């Protein structure tokens, strides 16, 4: 049964990448959007562009993984295509993880491009590569889990981006992307601690600029907990919808 | 003793509804068995419980109560084993618009664990069988409705299932596509595949099915061979008379009576001097049985599905 599930996870992710993700509009949007946000901020507040690299990478992960992920499941529920997967000898958790993995892989590919451009433009500091890679992987899974939760929570395709932005926009402004956490009022700092992107940005800052490993490890643990929670919620919601 | 492909016992499906409304009892304690190798027809009007039954037997919906075994596996405990040996053609063709015909078949094989070396030859074989070889690299979205239906059936066969569920397979198809699909069902039967067929075309069921269950409001009201079901039809004899006159041209009328002689005599009286073209006794059809058992006109089945489409008369 486990072999069936693992095979299902891999092929569902590959199918989603081919059918939905790897299309020119998605690729260009996934790369350009974070640059547009950061460029707008940098022009308004010219300063040390170095500080913006973790935010640029974090935004790329968030939007690259969750934008399409937030629509694929509800789209397939509406068209009936999800039924094909439900009829296959693959458990529901594996099906959902396959969907999530497709979004995570796409987000990682987009982020790799953004990271390469960012490092070339801003210069590489004291990068801790193993921790950086781990941060990207765990953050991509967390953001994709958020997208998957949104996708099973909405009834119509057009509702997906609205709900996704309900979660993404507060993260964009409160998680230390543009403004360091220490610069926020205390109440907003507490709120920021409830947002997964905060831990992604912290872990990215530390792994890109030689921060303490313990801090990265703790951030990753919190991110993994967010991923598990969001995946569990998405699985339960989907199971209830299908019952 | 004949091996059973499906055994359903007191199967119930209740769907919750909104506040202040009674839950919907879509399937209401049905019992039936499907023998290995037969074509089993499941007839009923819209909302009778046909699709809910299929959804339960294929693991898409959990029965509210009752039990079932499919191909010897318990539905509640061995659904993965069941899924590996069953193919399902849902009412709407639901493959992936973005993938080509070939890619859709290969993806289905990947999900069902068909060995890598077998995938391409099997996909080519199915494309050829369903006359879709020239559409191999065409996106699913670009295919005609009949081609989409054929490819959906092909996708259900990729793993050589022992049992296939066909939910309204010819609905909305043109005459030629419907005819091709019926031929395919007959071919599958010859190959020993068990077929569970829901349809609202009574003539289609009459022609294809070994046995037929009629389901109304979640309950099976009759289950037997088509021949035996004819016995449920009204016992009166029916004679069909075709006459021709200058004013009306050819006209066909049906006359019922307790015996054939009386029916023929009345029919001849009705000819009223017109030229007699033909007199035939009429065997009861599944339609007669359906009308008698359900109290519904057979046109209800067609109207609910938006017309005859590739109706069974097409051959």
């Amino acid at each position: 049964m486990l072999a069936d599930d693992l095979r299902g996870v891999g092929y569902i992710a590959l199918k989603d990448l081919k059918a939905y993700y790897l299309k020119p509009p998605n690729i260009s949007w996934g790369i350009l959007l974070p640059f547009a946000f950061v460029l707008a901020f940098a022009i308004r507040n010219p300063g040390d562009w170095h500080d913006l690299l973790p935010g640029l990478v974090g935004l790329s992960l968030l939007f690259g993984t969750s934008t399409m992920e937030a629509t694929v499941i509800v789209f397939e529920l509406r068209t009936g295509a999800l039924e094909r997967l439900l009829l296959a000898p693959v458990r529901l958790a594996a099906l959902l993880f396959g969907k999530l993995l497709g979004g995570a892989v796409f987000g990682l590919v987009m982020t790799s491009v953004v990271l390469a451009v960012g490092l070339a433009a801003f210069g590489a500091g004291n990068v801790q590569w193993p921790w950086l890679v781990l941060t990207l992987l765990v953050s991509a899974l967390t953001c994709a889990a958020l997208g998957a939760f949104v996708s099973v929570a909405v009834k119509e395709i057009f509702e997906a981006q609205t709900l996704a932005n309900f979660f993404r926009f507060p993260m964009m402004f409160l998680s230390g992307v543009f403004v360091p956490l220490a610069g926020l009022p205390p109440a907003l700092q507490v709120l920021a601690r409830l947002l997964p992107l905060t831990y992604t940005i912290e872990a990215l800052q530390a792994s890109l600029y030689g921060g303490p490993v313990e801090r990265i490890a703790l951030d990753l643990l919190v991110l993994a907990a967010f991923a598990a929670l969001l995946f569990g919620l998405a699985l339960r919601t989907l199971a209830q919808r299908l019952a | 003793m004949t091996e059973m492909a499906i055994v359903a016992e007191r199967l119930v499906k209740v769907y919750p509804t909104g506040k202040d409304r009674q839950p919907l009892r879509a399937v209401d304690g049905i019992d039936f068995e499907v023998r290995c190798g037969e074509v089993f027809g499941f007839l009923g009007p819209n909302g009778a419980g046909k699709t809910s039954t299929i959804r339960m037997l294929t693991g898409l919906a959990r029965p509210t109560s009752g039990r079932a075994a499919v191909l010897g596996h318990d539905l509640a405990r061995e659904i993965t084993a069941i899924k590996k040996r069953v193919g399902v053609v849902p009412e709407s063709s639901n493959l992936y618009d973005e993938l080509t015909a070939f890619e859709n078949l290969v993806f289905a094989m990947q999900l069902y664990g068909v060995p890598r070396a077998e995938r391409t030859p099997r996909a080519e074989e199915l494309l050829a069988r369903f006359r879709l070889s020239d559409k191999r690299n065409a996106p699913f979205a670009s295919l005609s409705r009949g081609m989409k239906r054929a490819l959906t059936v092909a996708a259900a066969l990729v793993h050589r299932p022992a049992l296939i569920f066909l939910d309204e397979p010819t609905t909305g198809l043109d005459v030629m596509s419907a005819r091709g699909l019926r031929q395919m069902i007959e071919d599958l039967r010859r190959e020993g595949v068990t077929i569970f067929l829901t349809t609202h075309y009574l003539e289609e069921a009459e022609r294809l099915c070994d046995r037929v269950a009629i389901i109304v409001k979640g309950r099976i009201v009759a289950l037997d061979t088509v021949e035996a079901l004819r016995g449920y039809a009204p016992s009166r004899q029916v004679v069909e008379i075709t006459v021709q006159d200058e004013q009306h041209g050819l006209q066909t009328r049906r006359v019922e009576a307790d015996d054939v002689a009386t029916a023929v005599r009345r029919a001849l009286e009705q000819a009223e001097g017109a030229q007699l073209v033909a007199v035939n006794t009429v065997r009861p059809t599944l339609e007669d049985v359906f009308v008698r058992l359900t109290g519904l006109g057979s046109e209800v089945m067609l109207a609910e599905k938006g017309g005859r489409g590739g109706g069974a008369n097409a051959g």
Side-chain angles (χ1 to χ4, degrees):
Chain A
M1 196 180 280
L2 184 63
D4 291 325
D5 287 341
L6 289 175
R7 187 182 58 240
V9 166
Y11 284 124
I12 289 168
L14 280 175
K15 186 274 294 173
D16 276 6
L17 283 167
K18 186 167 194 171
Y20 306 126
Y21 288 95
L22 296 174
K23 307 283 181 190
N26 293 333
I27 294 170
S28 53
W29 172 256
I31 292 172
L32 288 178
L33 184 74
F35 278 112
F37 274 130
V38 171
L39 197 63
F41 183 82
I43 290 169
R44 179 75 180 81
N45 302 287
D48 188 359
W49 285 40
H50 238 125
D51 291 343
L52 290 177
L53 185 57
L56 178 65
V57 174
L59 280 186
S60 178
L61 271 172
L62 180 63
F63 282 89
T65 52
S66 65
T67 302
M68 188 57 78
E69 181 71 48
T71 57
V72 288
I73 301 174
V74 66
F75 173 73
E76 290 194 355
L77 271 168
R78 299 298 295 176
T79 60
L82 195 74
E83 213 166 76
R84 297 217 72 79
L85 307 180
L86 294 167
L87 289 166
V90 175
R91 281 179 288 189
L92 189 62
L95 186 163
L96 186 63
F97 192 71
K99 291 272 168 205
L100 187 154
L101 191 62
V105 169
F106 179 75
L108 281 171
V109 171
M110 293 299 96
T111 304
S112 301
V113 176
V114 171
L115 180 66
V117 173
L119 287 174
F122 306 137
N126 184 17
V127 178
Q128 303 181 81
W129 283 104
W131 287 106
L132 178 61
V133 170
L134 209 55
T135 300
L136 293 176
L137 286 175
V138 178
S139 297
L141 287 173
T142 309
C143 295
L146 172 66
F149 171 66
V150 167
S151 199
V152 299
V154 296
K155 287 203 165 53
E156 300 293 340
I157 298 162
F158 60 81
E159 295 170 350
Q161 292 310 320
T162 308
L163 184 61
N165 287 336
F166 177 80
F167 294 110
R168 289 187 303 206
F169 274 76
M171 283 200 267
M172 225 167 74
F173 295 106
L174 297 176
S175 297
V177 173
F178 302 121
V179 181
L181 232 57
L184 294 174
L188 290 183
Q189 286 188 36
V190 172
L191 187 60
R193 286 287 160 204
L194 300 175
L195 306 172
L197 191 64
T198 303
Y199 301 93
T200 293
I201 301 297
E202 271 187 2
L204 284 170
Q205 279 167 341
S207 55
L208 280 167
Y209 303 122
V213 166
E214 297 78 13
R215 180 172 157 184
I216 305 174
L218 188 62
D219 285 331
L220 293 187
L221 274 177
V222 177
L223 279 171
F226 269 114
L229 176 70
L230 289 164
F231 182 78
L233 284 173
L235 186 60
R236 198 180 72 166
T237 309
L238 182 60
Q240 283 172 346
R241 280 188 75 167
L242 298 171
Chain B
M1 189 177 152
T2 312
E3 204 180 329
M4 292 302 164
I6 301 173
V7 179
E9 294 173 4
R10 299 180 301 282
L11 215 49
V12 172
K13 182 64 188 176
V14 178
Y15 293 105
T17 51
K19 264 185 182 175
D20 308 324
R21 290 177 64 192
Q22 288 284 324
L24 175 66
R25 206 170 176 84
V27 177
D28 194 4
I30 58 174
D31 296 270
F32 65 91
E33 293 175 342
V34 177
R35 297 168 190 150
C36 282
E38 76 173 334
V39 179
F40 185 86
F42 213 50
L43 292 185
N46 237 9
K50 304 188 297 289
T51 299
S52 290
T53 303
I54 288 188
R55 290 180 67 81
M56 284 191 282
L57 293 174
T58 55
L60 287 176
R62 192 173 298 168
T64 306
S65 65
R67 58 178 300 276
V70 178
L71 298 169
H73 298 286
D74 184 78
L75 184 64
R77 292 183 288 109
E78 301 170 285
I79 188 61
T80 305
I82 292 171
K83 286 177 175 181
K84 284 183 180 178
R85 298 184 60 202
V86 160
V88 183
V89 179
E91 192 174 347
S92 57
S93 302
N94 61 353
L95 296 182
Y96 297 95
D97 279 347
E98 301 79 6
L99 302 184
T100 65
F102 179 79
E103 287 168 343
N104 265 300
L105 294 182
V106 169
F107 176 59
M109 282 186 257
Q110 289 168 336
L111 285 180
Y112 282 90
V114 175
R116 188 182 294 266
E118 293 176 25
R119 289 176 200 158
T120 299
R122 178 75 175 143
E124 303 286 9
E125 175 201 327
L126 286 166
L127 288 170
R129 179 174 181 173
F130 288 90
R131 298 188 190 89
L132 291 168
S133 293
D134 60 331
K135 299 290 179 186
R136 183 187 191 277
N137 298 319
F140 183 68
S142 71
L143 301 181
S144 69
R145 186 183 284 193
M147 288 174 182
K148 283 182 175 177
R149 204 81 192 117
L151 193 67
T152 305
V153 177
L157 296 175
V158 290
H159 56 301
R160 301 180 199 279
L163 165 65
I164 182 162
F165 290 89
L166 295 164
D167 195 0
E168 309 277 3
T170 56
T171 300
L173 291 189
D174 60 73
V175 170
M176 289 306 291
S177 301
R179 180 182 290 182
L181 208 50
R182 285 187 204 106
Q183 185 59 52
M184 183 277 300
I185 292 170
E186 286 173 353
D187 292 345
L188 285 173
R189 189 225 311 253
R190 272 194 290 278
E191 292 167 21
V193 177
T194 307
I195 296 167
F196 187 102
L197 170 76
T198 77
T199 180
H200 59 277
Y201 297 131
L202 298 169
E203 303 98 321
E204 183 172 270
E206 193 160 7
R207 175 179 154 181
L208 293 172
C209 297
D210 298 304
R211 292 191 307 142
V212 167
I214 297 178
I215 182 169
V216 180
K217 293 180 181 169
R219 292 186 177 177
I220 292 177
V221 295
L223 194 171
D224 218 321
T225 61
V226 172
E227 197 52 46
L229 281 175
R230 290 189 215 278
Y232 288 74
S235 56
R236 288 165 68 83
Q237 301 296 320
V238 181
V239 167
E240 194 173 79
I241 179 171
T242 306
V243 295
Q244 185 173 27
D245 63 24
E246 285 184 3
Q247 190 182 352
H248 300 102
L250 271 178
Q251 279 188 304
T252 301
R253 297 171 199 155
R254 283 189 171 197
V255 179
E256 281 186 32
D258 290 334
D259 57 84
V260 174
T262 307
V264 170
R265 196 179 63 247
R266 284 187 192 163
L268 291 172
E269 285 167 6
Q270 285 191 16
E272 293 169 351
Q275 186 188 349
L276 188 63
V277 178
V279 179
N280 293 304
T281 55
V282 179
R283 293 180 75 203
T285 64
L286 204 53
E287 184 175 322
D288 299 320
V289 177
F290 180 84
V291 170
R292 171 155 192 186
L293 289 174
T294 65
L296 299 167
S298 59
E299 69 280 2
V300 169
M301 305 271 274
L302 298 176
E304 283 173 341
K305 294 291 175 182
R308 187 168 285 269
N313 285 340

